[in-house]
Amino acid sequence: MATYFPSGKGLEQHRQWHVVDADGLTLGRLASEVARILMGKHKPTYTPFLDTGDHVIVINASKVILTGNKLDDKFYRRHTGFPGGLKEISARDLLARYPTRLIELAVKGMLPKTKMGRHMGGKLKVYAGAEHPHGAQKPAPIQVAAK
């Protein structure tokens, strides 16, 4: 009996669209579930070196929850490339100014650090409010466990 092996052709036609409502969900639990779907680990045809994952739309990103003191203790750092150009922003300020970036950073940190991982991250769409422009793709809602 032969083992099924997905070829690299036609993967885009078989990708599905999923929508996740982040309202009241914990950031890490949400990010790990979204990363799992983007990689394709929820499918029986998962192959580590092929991008078999689906597209994910996250709505209500501004209503995500961080537990404990993470809103004040967690910092996101970046460097401008100039001397003394280290910039940092707390999770509270990042959630207030750029709520979509908070979820994008959490999810992309859980994806592989390769070309394929960056391609998987491109299938993630995050929106601060409840509306999204991807209605034509007919996304299926996914429930993420709150706890």
Side-chain angles (χ1 to χ4, degrees):
M1 178 175 244
T3 302
Y4 172 75
F5 185 80
S7 71
K9 298 177 179 139
L11 291 177
E12 190 61 41
Q13 287 81 18
H14 298 293
R15 293 195 205 285
Q16 298 172 344
W17 286 73
H18 305 284
V19 63
V20 178
D21 189 359
D23 187 10
L25 295 179
T26 307
L27 177 64
R29 292 175 189 272
L30 169 71
S32 63
E33 184 65 25
V34 168
R36 188 174 147 271
I37 295 169
L38 288 172
M39 285 189 276
K41 287 192 167 188
H42 65 293
K43 294 183 174 182
T45 59
Y46 170 72
T47 307
F49 53 87
L50 290 176
D51 184 10
T52 57
D54 294 335
H55 295 268
V56 178
I57 304 163
V58 179
I59 57 173
N60 291 323
S62 59
K63 298 178 183 177
V64 75
I65 295 173
L66 276 82
T67 59
N69 293 328
K70 291 189 197 90
L71 279 174
D72 298 317
D73 294 346
K74 187 171 181 68
F75 287 94
Y76 291 89
R77 294 176 180 90
R78 62 185 178 87
H79 201 282
T80 63
F82 290 96
L86 183 66
K87 305 282 185 178
E88 68 178 23
I89 185 170
S90 70
R92 182 181 301 278
D93 295 337
L94 189 65
L95 185 62
R97 289 182 65 188
Y98 311 107
T100 59
R101 196 172 297 172
L102 188 71
I103 292 180
E104 286 172 359
L105 288 171
V107 171
K108 289 181 181 179
M110 295 181 184
L111 294 175
K113 310 315 187 261
T114 59
K115 290 182 202 176
M116 187 174 68
R118 287 188 291 277
H119 187 263
M120 289 174 186
K123 296 183 298 183
L124 173 67
K125 313 293 184 207
V126 184
Y127 298 98
E131 299 297 320
H132 64 85
H134 304 285
Q137 282 74 26
K138 299 183 181 119
I142 285 190
Q143 297 295 327
V144 176
K147 199 166 189 183

